[in-house]
């Protein structure tokens, strides 16, 4: 058995195992004892937890909280609503569609950790949404839809599938003539970097006309280690481009210092920040929710002009009608008939003529 499989087999999902790693607080203990839904993490990711601080960003993302029982802003049956699963178009369970030219192909409902802020909780954490994971049925649907250029392979975490199944999915997608690219969404480079084995590199690698892109999810610099850096390097070396989709989380990355550090560290290990997501309106995650403006303010105060431009993600909210950018015009101080007044990160202003059509 490979190291990553051992890590999955030895998931930390009981108080007894957790106590060997951290000093569990009374609140954490109570929430764990009362939770009715799945929780757990790889031993590797657990080892990054602060032993004593319950506010540790890793602890907060992994350990249940009593606030999960509350819900003010979340929409029940969120995923069915968000992915238009009750809509008009007849699609296999594995296919989620919001755009004309690309679709999400959900191939598995397990994950390496069970993020407390997950917006796909119904599918992944409490498993109340049961999907039929018929890969061939999904592939057949994609084959019949020649307008689809790109397939996003997602889950759960698709890289938890065995190498031969991943190889099968990639090969079958590449046999479809209208598919121009494949994108994987996987948190494993962060929470289980051991998964990027020689075997997996072989499956993902080698030159091919249809490229593979991968987006991972990293929300705090504390999640990044030497092992992460090596896993990303291994992915890049076999031709897989790596991006990040962070989630804006109250108390974890919604301050200027953590936010800047996260995005600088991502670049240091060669991950290009892609999206910053506003927390979606799924139920039971209000305790992670910030005002909508927060993400744009953080980009203004921590990134733009303050550090490498490559560190800047696009701030978006994923909705039932697609992703919508949330970047207010903070930099436009005044828009006149003749000119714009623009402000930079130091508060200095400059002007630019307003050009008529
Ligand atoms: C996020 C998402 C995509 C990809 O959107 P991009 O803006 O290209 O990253 C495609 N389909 C669905 C259903 C999605 O949720
Ligand atoms: S890895 Fe992604 S799908 Fe899995 S629990 Fe975390 S946020 Fe949800």
């Amino acid at each position: 058995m490979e190291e990553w499989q051992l890590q999955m087999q030895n998931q930390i999902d009981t108080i007894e195992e957790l106590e060997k790693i951290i000093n569990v607080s009374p609140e954490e203990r109570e929430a764990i004892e009362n939770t009715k839904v799945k929780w757990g993490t790889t031993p590797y990711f657990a080892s990054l937890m602060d032993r004593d601080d319950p506010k540790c960003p890793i602890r907060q993302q992994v350990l249940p909280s009593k606030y999960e029982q509350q819900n003010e802003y979340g929409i029940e049956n969120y995923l069915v609503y968000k992915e238009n699963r009750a809509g008009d178009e007849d699609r296999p369970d594995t296919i989620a569609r919001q755009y004309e030219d690309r679709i999400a192909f959900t191939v598995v409902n397990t994950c390496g950790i069970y993020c407390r802020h997950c917006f796909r909780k119904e599918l992944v954490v409490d498993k109340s949404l049961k999907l039929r994971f018929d890969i061939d049925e999904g592939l057949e649907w994609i084959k019949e839809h020649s307008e689809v250029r790109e397939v996003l392979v997602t889950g759960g975490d698709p890289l938890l599938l065995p190498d031969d199944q991943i190889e099968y999915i990639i090969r079958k997608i590449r046999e479809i003539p209208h598919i121009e690219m494949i994108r994987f969404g996987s948190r494993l480079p962060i929470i289980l970097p051991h998964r990027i084995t020689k075997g997996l590199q072989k499956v993902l690698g080698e030159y091919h006309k249809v490229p593979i892109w991968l987006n991972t999810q990293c929300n705090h610099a504390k999640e990044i280690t030497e092992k992460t850096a090596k896993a990303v390097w291994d992915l890049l070396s076999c031709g897989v481009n790596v991006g990040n989709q962070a989630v804006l989380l109250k108390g974890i990355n919604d301050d200027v210092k953590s936010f800047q550090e996260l995005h600088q560290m991502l670049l240091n290990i060669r991950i290009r920040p892609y999206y910053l997501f506003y927390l979606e309106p799924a139920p039971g995650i209000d305790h992670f929710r910030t005002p909508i403006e927060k993400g744009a303010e953080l980009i203004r105060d921590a990134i733009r002009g303050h550090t490498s431009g490559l560190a800047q993600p696009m701030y978006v909210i994923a909705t039932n009608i697609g992703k919508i950018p949330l970047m207010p015009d903070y930099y436009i101080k005044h828009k006149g008939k003749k000119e714009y007044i623009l402000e930079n990160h130091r508060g200095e202003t400059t002007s630019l003529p307003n050009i008529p059509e």
Side-chain angles (χ1 to χ4, degrees):
M1 198 175 279
E2 291 185 291
E3 173 66 22
W4 74 273
Q5 290 162 319
L6 277 173
Q7 285 267 337
M8 285 305 291
Q9 221 172 53
N10 296 317
Q11 282 248 325
I12 308 288
D13 57 4
T14 63
I15 292 196
E16 293 70 44
E17 290 159 322
L18 187 64
E19 275 174 331
K20 293 181 195 151
I21 302 162
I22 59 166
N23 293 318
V24 182
S25 75
E27 290 78 21
E28 287 168 334
R29 182 181 304 276
E30 197 184 331
I32 291 171
E33 279 165 358
N34 288 330
T35 188
K36 291 179 196 67
V37 299
K38 218 169 157 44
W39 73 277
T41 170
T42 57
Y44 161 80
F45 201 58
S47 77
L48 306 180
M49 291 179 182
D50 187 287
R51 187 167 250 291
D52 296 308
D53 182 10
K55 291 212 168 340
C56 161
I58 312 244
R59 276 166 80 146
Q60 288 193 68
Q61 288 183 70
V62 167
L63 303 181
S65 147
K66 65 176 177 194
Y67 298 110
E68 289 172 26
Q69 315 297 333
Q70 302 176 1
N71 186 40
E72 190 180 349
Y73 302 109
I75 301 167
E76 296 297 337
N77 287 321
Y78 178 67
L79 213 52
V80 171
Y81 155 79
K82 148 106 191 276
E83 295 189 339
N84 307 308
R85 288 185 177 274
D88 300 338
E89 194 181 42
D90 193 23
R91 292 183 299 258
D93 278 6
T94 48
I95 306 286
R97 181 173 214 184
Q98 285 182 336
Y99 300 103
E100 177 72 5
D101 80 333
R102 58 208 189 281
I103 53 100
F105 188 21
T106 310
V107 296
V108 65
N109 68 349
T110 45
C111 283
I113 70 167
Y114 292 88
C115 308
R116 303 330 292 172
H117 57 273
C118 180
F119 73 86
R120 330 191 93 208
K121 264 188 187 166
E122 304 143 77
L123 173 69
V124 172
V125 180
D126 59 61
K127 306 208 193 281
S128 57
L129 177 65
K130 308 259 187 261
L131 299 186
R132 219 158 41 86
F133 292 105
D134 186 333
I135 306 279
D136 287 322
E137 182 195 35
L139 289 165
E140 200 51 44
W141 185 93
I142 298 168
K143 206 189 288 178
E144 285 160 12
H145 288 77
S146 58
E147 72 280 12
V148 175
R149 297 174 49 253
E150 178 182 357
V151 178
L152 273 82
V153 186
T154 178
D157 204 310
L159 294 189
L160 284 178
L161 292 174
D163 288 356
D164 59 342
Q165 280 188 47
I166 298 174
E167 191 273 334
Y168 177 82
I169 290 170
I170 293 173
R171 178 160 44 85
K172 286 292 174 184
I173 294 176
R174 280 177 167 161
E175 278 171 14
I176 303 173
H178 50 266
I179 298 303
E180 296 170 22
M181 57 189 279
I182 301 173
R183 201 184 326 174
F184 278 88
S186 170
R187 229 193 144 167
L188 296 194
I190 303 299
I191 56 119
L192 185 58
H194 322 60
R195 177 63 186 102
I196 316 305
T197 57
K198 284 269 172 294
L200 185 67
Q201 274 185 277
K202 203 154 174 264
V203 168
L204 299 176
E206 299 195 7
Y207 180 78
H208 196 283
K209 195 163 75 38
V210 175
I212 297 179
W213 294 70
L214 183 148
N215 279 327
T216 192
Q217 184 196 145
C218 179
N219 301 319
H220 194 278
K222 212 172 148 65
E223 297 168 43
I224 296 172
T225 67
E226 266 304 309
K227 272 199 157 53
T228 333
K230 180 63 170 49
V232 174
W233 171 254
D234 286 342
L235 285 166
L236 293 169
S237 328
C238 69
V240 177
N241 294 284
V242 186
N244 188 56
Q245 307 193 148
V247 184
L248 181 56
L249 298 168
K250 189 163 119 190
I252 292 181
N253 58 17
D254 68 336
D255 63 286
V256 168
K257 183 168 171 290
S258 305
F259 193 77
Q260 186 177 69
E261 214 169 67
L262 165 66
H263 288 91
Q264 289 173 336
M265 277 295 284
L266 286 168
L267 285 184
N268 289 353
I269 61 160
R270 306 175 172 83
I271 297 181
R272 174 73 158 98
Y274 175 48
Y275 279 144
L276 169 67
F277 282 111
Y278 181 67
L279 194 73
E280 294 186 37
I285 57 176
D286 288 343
H287 51 301
F288 290 118
R289 208 174 294 288
T290 64
I292 285 187
E293 288 78 8
K294 193 70 183 178
E297 288 169 9
L298 284 165
I299 289 172
R300 176 192 62 186
D301 298 339
I303 308 284
R304 180 65 9 213
H306 303 284
T307 190
S308 168
L310 285 167
Q312 184 178 329
M314 176 176 276
Y315 181 40
V316 296
I317 170 122
T319 75
N320 60 318
I321 54 169
K323 294 177 184 74
I324 297 173
L326 296 172
M327 303 290 294
D329 293 336
Y330 282 126
Y331 311 94
I332 301 181
K333 286 318 265 186
H334 174 75
K335 182 181 172 182
K337 246 191 159 37
K338 284 220 152 62
E339 65 174 11
Y340 282 91
I341 307 294
L342 306 176
E343 188 181 84
N344 76 357
H345 62 287
R346 282 190 294 266
E348 302 156 348
T349 55
T350 184
S351 67
L352 210 69
N354 185 358
I355 312 296
E357 272 293 350

